[in-house]
Amino acid sequence: DCGERLSALRVDGGATSNNFMLQFQSDILGIPITRPENVESTAMGAAFAAGVHLGFFDKSEIFSSDFVTAEQKFQPTMTEEVRRAKYDKWLDAITRSFAW
């Protein structure tokens, strides 16, 4: 949507405990995906936003790669040919669902 290609993705939340899902996303997107040690980080994000607002943190500190400890990194392993075929099937399924 932003017109920029992602070079990596950092994820959080309960669904990120699903290794298959994260590996599949990494394969389909063709980029590495990093899961932090603390996957339930909504409250931490709110605290960081308040800290930036109050001047305790600088935005560049929060978004630096050293600020959050990675628990696991998923690297793409799917070939471009397989990725394209799976993506095309997904697009076809989405298009067919419009008629429901």
Side-chain angles (χ1 to χ4, degrees):
D1 288 352
C2 69
E4 297 290 326
R5 176 142 168 73
L6 294 176
S7 60
L9 186 62
R10 295 180 190 177
V11 297
D12 70 340
T16 64
S17 64
N18 185 327
N19 288 344
F20 175 80
M21 179 192 73
L22 293 181
Q23 183 59 58
F24 189 70
Q25 285 180 329
S26 176
D27 286 339
I28 291 297
L29 295 172
I31 60 173
I33 294 181
T34 303
R35 175 176 56 206
E37 285 181 344
N38 176 14
V39 296
E40 298 298 341
S41 56
T42 302
M44 187 170 68
F48 286 158
V52 167
H53 178 74
L54 296 172
F56 292 126
F57 302 113
D58 182 80
K59 278 192 268 189
S60 62
E61 289 178 291
I62 293 173
F63 294 111
S64 77
S65 59
D66 298 331
F67 206 81
V68 175
T69 304
E71 184 264 326
Q72 188 167 356
K73 194 168 195 173
F74 298 84
Q75 296 288 346
T77 58
M78 196 178 281
T79 67
E80 183 61 36
E81 182 180 350
V82 171
R83 178 182 302 124
R84 175 51 55 190
K86 288 185 181 295
Y87 183 70
D88 287 345
K89 284 184 179 183
W90 177 78
L91 287 176
D92 182 53
I94 295 298
T95 301
R96 283 185 280 126
S97 74
F98 293 155
W100 290 351

